[in-house]
Amino acid sequence: MNNFIRKVRSRTARIEPWWSFVLVPIWQEYIFRYLPYTLLYTDPKLYWVFAFGTAFAFASIHWYLGKWFVLYSFVGGLALWWVMVNFGLLAAIIVHAFVNVVDFSTGFRRLLMH
């Protein structure tokens, strides 16, 4: 699987920072929050079921960054679910993009990857 990750990174490196700051927030928010929200979330009583489910799925795709980053992604996924439910897709994309900019500019990601 590490080969796959290296191949993806080599291709996406060509379009940085657009990849991390624009494209990733759009597709991840669409897949992990918008689709579950619009297609499956019909009962507000299930808020936490969907919050934890979407956060778990979101965190799972970040496994290759290490266990601490997975935990960080899980908590971020919970927060982004709340943003999606209360303010919509565009707000979730903007928050996700902002978090990525802060993450990359402060080096926080490197701390969590160890």
Side-chain angles (χ1 to χ4, degrees):
M1 192 57 127
N2 286 338
N3 256 352
F4 174 74
I5 300 292
R6 270 191 235 101
K7 285 179 184 180
V8 169
R9 283 186 178 169
S10 71
R11 290 189 179 120
T12 59
R14 298 177 193 154
I15 57 173
E16 282 293 353
W18 291 104
W19 176 252
S20 295
F21 303 148
V22 178
L23 300 174
V24 165
I26 290 170
W27 78 262
Q28 286 184 350
E29 291 311 310
Y30 186 79
I31 290 171
F32 292 105
R33 260 131 332 250
Y34 183 75
L35 287 178
Y37 179 77
T38 58
L39 298 177
L40 304 170
Y41 181 64
T42 57
D43 185 357
K45 293 176 192 166
L46 297 176
Y47 178 88
W48 288 108
V49 171
F50 279 90
F52 279 93
T54 60
F56 179 79
F58 179 68
S60 296
I61 68 162
H62 294 92
W63 63 269
Y64 63 93
L65 295 169
K67 64 183 173 190
W68 293 110
F69 198 85
V70 169
L71 179 61
Y72 168 73
S73 298
F74 180 78
V75 172
L78 289 174
L80 288 166
W81 175 257
W82 179 83
V83 171
M84 173 67 220
V85 170
N86 290 286
F87 302 103
L89 177 63
L90 183 58
I93 291 169
I94 290 169
V95 169
H96 191 152
F98 178 75
V99 167
N100 283 2
V101 168
V102 169
D103 177 29
F104 277 81
S105 63
T106 63
F108 188 64
R109 175 177 301 238
R110 287 188 292 279
L111 293 174
L112 294 172
M113 288 173 59
H114 296 289

